[in-house]
């Protein structure tokens, strides 16, 4: 039987260090509680809204108006140049981003939320000074929370082939056969939605999702006596195993394309904070699917810390990359004086449960110098259009029009804080495949974002979870 623990081990570290100044953040968040994927369209529930709002409130308390805020951050009225937010055009992810931002920058009231016109008239903002923060839409991943197939929206041919290869692997076949009796035993709890032919390890995630949502929201569940704590744990851990193996494979890294492109986005966003001396988007907020977490965890060797890291992150989970210095923040610190710390929190961040620091890349240190961090990320980051096309094996569409010459910088699109740039970057016509990078360029107001440093050009935010797959569960389908 597969087992799962609750991430009890961690190298605890307070978020505010005595002699440190936070210079910037990159926050990647999962959405809040939602309705089941078995009956699309999904939507954010009131519980999910509350979860994601609470996380935003916690980040506000600790990074915006707390005792150790981000250097130069506006504490009350949001300064739009200081925040870049993005999400796919998806019912759940987009509304989750809105809820998070409401917690991060809540209404400011009549005093701060008003202005005096030239003729002396005082105009108060609606909703007690509600703050309007743009959320840029990512071209890929539209409607992704309505689908159960993890790799479908990657647009990466080789990644889809790699994930499909899992279904013919010896590991998968062994679990499919050994767990069939288990899944058949719980059929009475799901037979209003799943046929007997669908009730197997093949649909491990869909079954987990359906029962997880029912357990949260339904007062009664058919044949609930079958769902003992041990059975529910087995359903969860089988789904964890299933989805992790679709998101990452150590011998076939293309499967983790979502994590590889996310890594490039993280480096570029943080580097923008450095090269602008902290004036451009010291906060970057991005929403995405659980598969992106899992693929990044595998690539960053966080799974070395234990089996907990293969699990599906809970709703409203966040991973945060904190850019900081332990020297005076004015003038803006030199690159050698800038460090990065990685935080992870499984579920909603709040006063009783806060993000914890963990070491990246299989090493022991909780902090990394900026250049060491970039070097570690560049070992697996895919940040140029040409590298993405080559790695994915795509030759049509934008890949047919691209110049497939990649920089040889040690990683797949290297980066440093030097501010150097290189030609051949991503252009706006390719937004359909690499919409996330175009999104970031618009959000940050930097037309040359994708050609920032040493050839690190980001490609699409490879959203996981969208796209139909033959055999995936749909109500009324066999």
């Amino acid at each position: 039987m597969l087992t799962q623990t609750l991430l009890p081990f961690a190298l605890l570290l307070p978020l505010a260090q005595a002699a440190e100044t936070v210079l910037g953040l990159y926050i990647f968040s999962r959405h809040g509680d939602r309705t089941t994927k078995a009956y699309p369209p999904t939507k954010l529930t009131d519980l999910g809204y509350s979860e994601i709002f609470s996380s935003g409130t916690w980040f506000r308390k600790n990074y915006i108006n707390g005792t150790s805020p981000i250097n130069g951050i506006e504490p009350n009225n949001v300064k739009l140049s200081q925040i870049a937010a993005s999400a796919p055009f998806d019912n759940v992810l987009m509304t989750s981003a809105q809820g998070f931002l409401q917690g991060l920058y809540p209404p400011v009231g009549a005093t701060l939320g008003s202005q005096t016109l030239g003729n002396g008239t005082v105009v108060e903002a609606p909703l007690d000074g509600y703050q309007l923060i743009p959320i840029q839409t990512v071209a890929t991943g539209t409607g992704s929370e309505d689908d159960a197939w993890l790799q479908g929206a990657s647009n990466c041919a080789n990644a889809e082939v790699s994930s499909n290869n899992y279904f013919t692997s010896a590991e998968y076949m062994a679990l499919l056969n050994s767990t069939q009796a288990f899944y058949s035993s719980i059929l009475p709890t799901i037979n209003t939605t799943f046929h007997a032919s669908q009730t197997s390890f093949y649909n491990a995630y869909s079954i987990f999702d359906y029962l997880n949502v029912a357990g949260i929201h339904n007062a009664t569940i058919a044949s609930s006596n079958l769902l003992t704590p041990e059975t529910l744990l087995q359903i969860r851990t089988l789904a964890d195993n299933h989805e992790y193996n679709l998101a990452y494979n150590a011998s076939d890294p293309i499967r983790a394309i979502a994590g590889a492109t996310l890594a490039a986005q993280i480096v570029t966003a943080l580097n923008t904070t450095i090269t602008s001396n902290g004036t451009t988007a010291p906060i970057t907020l991005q929403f995405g699917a659980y598969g992106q977490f899992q693929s990044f965890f595998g690539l960053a060797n966080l799974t070395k810390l234990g089996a907990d890291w293969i699990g599906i992150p809970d709703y409203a989970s966040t991973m945060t990359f904190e850019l900081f210095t332990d020297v005076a923040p004015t003038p803006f610190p030199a690159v050698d004086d800038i460090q990065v710390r990685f935080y992870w929190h499984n579920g909603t961040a709040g006063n009783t449960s806060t993000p914890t620091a963990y070491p990246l890349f299989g090493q022991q240190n909780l902090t990394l110098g900026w250049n060491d961090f970039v070097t570690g990320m560049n070992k697996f980051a895919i940040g140029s259009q040409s590298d993405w096309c080559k790695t994915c094996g795509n030759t049509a569409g934008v890949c047919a029009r691209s110049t497939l010459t990649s920089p040889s910088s040690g990683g797949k699109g290297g980066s440093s804080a030097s501010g150097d740039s290189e030609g051949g970057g991503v252009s706006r016509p390719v937004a359909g495949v690499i919409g996330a990078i175009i999104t970031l360029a618009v959000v940050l107001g930097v037309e040359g974002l994708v050609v920032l440093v040493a050839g690190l050009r980001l490609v699409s935010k490879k959203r996981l979870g969208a796209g139909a797959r033959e055999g995936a569960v749909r109500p009324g389908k066999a």
Side-chain angles (χ1 to χ4, degrees):
M1 175 177 175
L2 298 171
T3 59
Q4 180 186 22
T5 55
L6 298 175
L7 295 172
F9 60 91
L11 302 173
L12 294 174
L13 189 69
L15 282 150
Q17 298 295 303
E20 294 179 359
T21 301
V22 179
L23 303 173
L25 292 179
Y26 190 104
I27 306 166
F28 188 79
S29 179
R30 194 184 178 202
H31 56 78
D33 178 80
R34 54 153 171 76
T35 56
T36 178
K37 290 187 177 185
Y39 297 103
T42 55
K43 68 175 183 177
L44 190 70
T45 64
D46 290 339
L47 172 61
Y49 185 7
S50 176
E51 289 171 340
I52 215 71
F53 178 84
S54 294
S55 281
T57 300
W58 185 88
F59 276 90
R60 172 175 176 76
K61 178 180 177 181
N62 286 273
Y63 286 109
I64 293 179
N65 68 346
T67 56
S68 301
I70 297 171
N71 187 52
I73 199 75
E74 170 57 47
N76 296 308
N77 291 79
V78 63
K79 188 175 182 180
L80 295 183
S81 63
Q82 293 185 330
I83 186 166
S86 64
F89 190 71
D90 175 271
N91 291 340
V92 177
L93 292 165
M94 183 61 72
T95 52
S96 289
Q98 292 170 338
F100 188 102
L101 290 171
Q102 289 170 12
L104 195 67
Y105 274 102
V108 293
T111 301
L112 293 177
S114 63
Q115 65 177 146
T116 302
L117 305 182
N119 62 5
T121 302
V122 177
V123 179
E124 294 184 6
L127 302 175
D128 197 32
Y130 182 90
Q131 305 206 63
L132 301 173
I133 303 175
I135 302 171
Q136 297 298 321
T137 56
V138 177
T140 53
T142 297
S144 59
E145 286 305 310
D146 290 338
D147 258 294
W149 172 228
L150 181 146
Q151 195 67 269
S154 72
N155 295 317
C156 178
N158 287 340
E160 293 189 38
V161 169
S162 177
S163 287
N164 273 309
N165 286 342
Y166 173 62
F167 292 107
T168 60
S169 68
E171 178 185 356
Y172 170 78
M173 295 305 298
L175 277 170
L176 180 69
N177 293 324
S178 65
T179 60
Q180 186 55 61
F182 170 77
Y183 279 106
S184 296
S185 73
I186 64 171
L187 179 59
T189 68
I190 59 176
N191 61 9
T192 57
T193 301
F194 294 81
H195 297 288
S197 62
Q198 297 171 320
T199 307
S200 70
F201 181 62
Y202 181 84
N203 283 312
Y205 177 77
S206 296
I207 292 169
F208 159 72
D209 181 68
Y210 178 80
L211 287 173
N212 182 56
V213 171
I216 295 171
H217 294 282
N218 293 4
T220 60
I221 300 175
S223 303
S224 59
N225 60 298
L226 298 174
L227 300 176
T228 64
E230 294 77 15
T231 297
L232 290 171
L233 178 62
Q234 182 72 332
I235 292 169
R236 171 63 186 257
T237 52
L238 286 168
D240 288 342
N241 180 281
H242 187 279
E243 298 302 284
Y244 181 76
N245 280 292
L246 291 178
Y248 176 78
N249 182 278
S251 62
D252 195 11
I254 187 58
R255 193 174 301 182
I257 185 68
T261 54
L262 177 62
Q265 293 170 10
I266 292 165
V267 173
T268 294
L270 292 176
N271 191 73
T272 300
T273 300
I274 295 174
T275 56
S276 68
N277 291 332
T279 61
T280 300
I283 298 177
T284 299
L285 170 67
Q286 185 175 355
F287 273 77
Y290 63 86
Q292 284 177 281
F293 287 95
Q294 290 179 303
S295 60
F296 180 84
F297 291 164
L299 291 169
N301 205 13
L302 286 160
T303 50
K304 177 183 178 180
L305 299 175
D308 300 315
W309 291 87
I310 75 167
I312 298 168
D314 290 340
Y315 296 137
S317 292
T318 53
M319 59 180 181
T320 304
F321 298 81
E322 182 186 82
L323 200 67
F324 71 97
T325 185
D326 54 12
V327 301
T330 304
F332 197 82
V335 169
D336 289 343
D337 292 321
I338 296 174
Q339 301 179 69
V340 178
R341 185 181 291 125
F342 169 77
Y343 287 101
W344 161 247
H345 189 267
N346 194 32
T348 304
N351 294 330
T352 60
S353 182
T354 62
T356 301
Y358 292 90
L360 290 167
F361 314 134
Q363 45 85 50
Q364 298 298 316
N365 296 326
L366 291 177
T367 62
L368 289 169
W370 169 248
N371 287 327
D372 291 335
F373 171 74
V374 171
T375 298
M377 295 285 266
N378 277 348
K379 290 179 180 178
F380 54 84
I382 296 178
S384 74
Q385 177 184 328
S386 58
D387 276 325
W388 186 88
C389 291
K390 287 181 179 180
T391 305
C392 290
N394 289 26
T395 57
V398 296
C399 291
R401 296 193 299 271
S402 64
T403 55
L404 299 181
T405 55
S406 60
S408 56
S409 55
K412 298 181 182 65
S415 178
S416 71
S418 66
D420 297 335
S421 62
E422 189 173 304
V426 178
S427 60
R428 288 192 180 277
V430 302
V433 172
I434 51 177
I437 296 315
I438 300 305
T439 291
L440 278 173
V442 173
V443 174
L444 299 177
V446 181
E447 193 69 26
L449 174 62
V450 293
V451 288
L452 262 175
V453 272
L456 181 56
R457 300 172 188 80
L458 309 190
V459 293
S460 71
K461 172 186 170 188
K462 294 301 172 294
R463 286 283 297 107
L464 303 177
R469 170 178 168 79
E470 183 179 358
V473 170
R474 294 291 182 277
K477 275 194 174 184

